[in-house]
């Protein structure tokens, strides 16, 4: 894809970089307080949550371990097909229909953690198909397909430092 097409698919910035960073600092401080003196393992779901994890773990000031899992929620274009595949175990970024996190949550609970909390950067409550609530959602967004800050469309746009609405027509100026 050339740079011009890339730019034209970025419709509007929904969450600017400064807002993301400010909120993550706040949540990092909150987690540091809540888990002080307790073992803390941050599990991030690749690929989408890699940027969020990198910023969140650096906003946490207490000892913590980090691990990654890879879950793929299959999309045809910008719509979830409902097929969730765990492609790399223990190793979300966003809750859309909720299927991905619901499956991952079941898997992690089966391993009997002391406690399990779900933190999501973005929540699209209008699109929920399964009953799943995160313990902490940093931002609630409307039913729009978004890109940036780790989130992709066709594997591109993950490197944008902000969250933007994707323009399928590529008409954005
Ligand atoms: P769910 O299983 O339908 O909740 O979908 C969650 C996964 O789908 C996320 O972890 C993302 O990888 C992807 N996804 C959902 N909505 C968006 C979006 O607006 N932009 C980019 N990826 C999305
Ligand atoms: Mg994706």
């Amino acid at each position: 894809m050339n740079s011009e097409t890339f730019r034209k698919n970025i419709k509007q910035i929904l969450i600017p970089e400064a807002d993301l960073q400010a909120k993550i600092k706040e949540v990092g401080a909150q987690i540091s307080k809540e888990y002080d003196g307790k073992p803390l393992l941050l599990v991030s779901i690749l690929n989408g949550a890699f940027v969020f994890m990198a910023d969140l773990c650096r906003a946490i000031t207490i000892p913590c371990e980090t691990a990654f899992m890879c879950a793929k929620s299959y999309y045809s274009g910008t719509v979830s097909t409902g097929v969730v595949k765990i492609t790399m175990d223990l190793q979300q970024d966003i809750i859309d229909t909720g299927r991905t996190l619901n499956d991952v949550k079941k898997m992690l609970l089966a391993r009997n953690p002391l406690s399990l909390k779900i933190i999501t950067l973005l929540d699209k409550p209008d699109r929920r198909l399964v009953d799943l609530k995160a313990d902490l959602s940093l931002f609630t967004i409307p039913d729009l397909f978004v890109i940036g800050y780790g989130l992709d469309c066709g594997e591109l746009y993950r490197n944008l430092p902000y969250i933007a609405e994707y323009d399928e027509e590529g008409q954005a100026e």
Side-chain angles (χ1 to χ4, degrees), residues 86-105:
I86 309 293
T87 52
M88 181 175 87
D89 189 4
L90 255 175
Q91 311 233 326
Q92 202 143 31
D93 50 13
I94 181 167
I95 311 179
D96 183 16
T97 63
R99 289 188 195 108
T100 310
L101 265 183
N102 203 45
D103 285 13
V104 170
K105 185 179 178 182

Side-chain angles (χ1 to χ4, degrees), residues 97-153:
T97 63
R99 289 188 195 108
T100 310
L101 265 183
N102 203 45
D103 285 13
V104 170
K105 185 179 178 182
K106 275 191 226 148
M107 281 185 42
L108 292 178
L109 280 175
R111 296 173 189 183
N112 301 314
L114 285 176
S115 73
L116 176 68
K117 287 206 177 172
I118 294 181
I119 304 177
T120 181
L121 177 69
L122 301 174
D123 190 6
K124 287 196 240 174
D126 297 347
R127 301 214 1 118
R128 198 75 86 255
L129 293 178
V130 298
D131 185 23
L132 179 91
K133 235 179 117 42
D135 296 288
L136 189 62
S137 279
L138 276 64
F139 297 92
T140 299
I141 57 167
D143 180 10
L144 298 171
F145 195 80
V146 293
I147 48 173
Y149 200 72
L151 298 173
D152 75 304
C153 185

Side-chain angles (χ1 to χ4, degrees), residues 2-133:
N2 64 38
S3 302
E4 198 191 345
T5 314
F6 183 82
R7 253 196 331 273
K8 283 192 164 171
N9 284 322
I10 303 169
K11 191 166 190 175
Q12 54 159 332
I13 296 180
L14 291 179
I15 311 173
E17 189 174 359
D19 293 12
L20 289 167
Q21 296 303 334
K23 189 77 188 172
I24 289 167
K25 284 259 150 33
E26 190 187 308
V27 168
Q30 192 181 322
I31 294 171
S32 305
K33 215 168 132 195
E34 189 174 338
Y35 282 86
D36 194 15
K38 297 180 187 143
L40 174 60
L41 169 66
L42 301 176
V43 179
S44 160
I45 303 181
L46 296 172
N47 294 334
F50 80 106
V51 181
F52 179 37
M53 172 70 141
D55 284 340
L56 182 64
C57 75
R58 285 178 294 171
I60 290 175
T61 52
I62 57 168
C64 76
E65 291 181 37
T66 51
F68 298 88
M69 291 177 77
C70 202
K72 203 164 166 53
S73 181
Y74 287 88
Y75 268 63
S76 70
T78 59
V79 183
S80 171
T81 60
V83 181
V84 179
K85 196 171 166 214
I86 309 293
T87 52
M88 181 175 87
D89 189 4
L90 255 175
Q91 311 233 326
Q92 202 143 31
D93 50 13
I94 181 167
I95 311 179
D96 183 16
T97 63
R99 289 188 195 108
T100 310
L101 265 183
N102 203 45
D103 285 13
V104 170
K105 185 179 178 182
K106 275 191 226 148
M107 281 185 42
L108 292 178
L109 280 175
R111 296 173 189 183
N112 301 314
L114 285 176
S115 73
L116 176 68
K117 287 206 177 172
I118 294 181
I119 304 177
T120 181
L121 177 69
L122 301 174
D123 190 6
K124 287 196 240 174
D126 297 347
R127 301 214 1 118
R128 198 75 86 255
L129 293 178
V130 298
D131 185 23
L132 179 91
K133 235 179 117 42

